[in-house]
Amino acid sequence: MKTLDKAVKIQVVIGLLAVMVYSLLGHAVGAAYGMFIGLVNLWMLNYTFEKANKRAEEDPKSGILILYMSAVIRFVLLAVLFVLGLSFLDESQALPVVLTFVVMQLAKLFDLKGKRRLTD
């Protein structure tokens, strides 16, 4: 659970910094929506890791299956969230949405330092 807290803190701080920077440029709504998408992705990832770890104690193959299904579900969910958000926001908000989300995902690299696997 400690690594979850670290990952959440890093991504929230980077997301908030992106929202603050984009608010100076008049694009706070787009950046906030990008941060929302990043947090949904983080929550889904952590939820399925916990579920897969519990299931893997009984049957390792079912734990791996949960992770694969999670990847598919998150991919579809993120696509839907991006399409919905970009269809309701005006064109000038598209870049802040995408960049905030991408920067938040890159922040996950800080959490992976010193790990051999993503699930460590």
Side-chain angles (χ1 to χ4, degrees), residues 30-84:
Y33 188 72
M35 183 177 170
F36 168 75
I37 295 173
L39 291 175
V40 167
N41 186 47
L42 179 67
W43 176 79
M44 287 279 299
L45 182 64
N46 288 318
Y47 173 76
T48 54
F49 272 167
E50 288 177 14
K51 192 173 182 177
N53 283 336
K54 288 179 186 175
R55 184 71 61 92
E57 291 172 0
E58 300 166 10
D59 181 20
K61 288 183 181 181
S62 66
I64 292 172
L65 181 62
I66 289 173
L67 292 176
Y68 284 135
M69 291 304 297
S70 165
V72 171
I73 292 168
R74 284 185 300 114
F75 181 78
V76 171
L77 177 65
L78 292 177
V80 168
L81 288 174
F82 272 110
V83 168
L84 285 175

Side-chain angles (χ1 to χ4, degrees), residues 11 37-39 41-42 100-109:
Q11 289 190 326
I37 295 173
L39 291 175
N41 186 47
L42 179 67
T100 302
F101 173 78
V102 168
V103 169
M104 285 180 68
Q105 298 313 301
L106 290 175
K108 185 70 176 163
L109 294 175

Side-chain angles (χ1 to χ4, degrees), residues 2-18:
K2 187 175 183 179
T3 58
L4 168 64
D5 295 337
K6 181 181 174 185
V8 170
K9 287 177 186 175
I10 290 171
Q11 289 190 326
V12 167
V13 167
I14 289 178
L16 288 174
L17 285 173

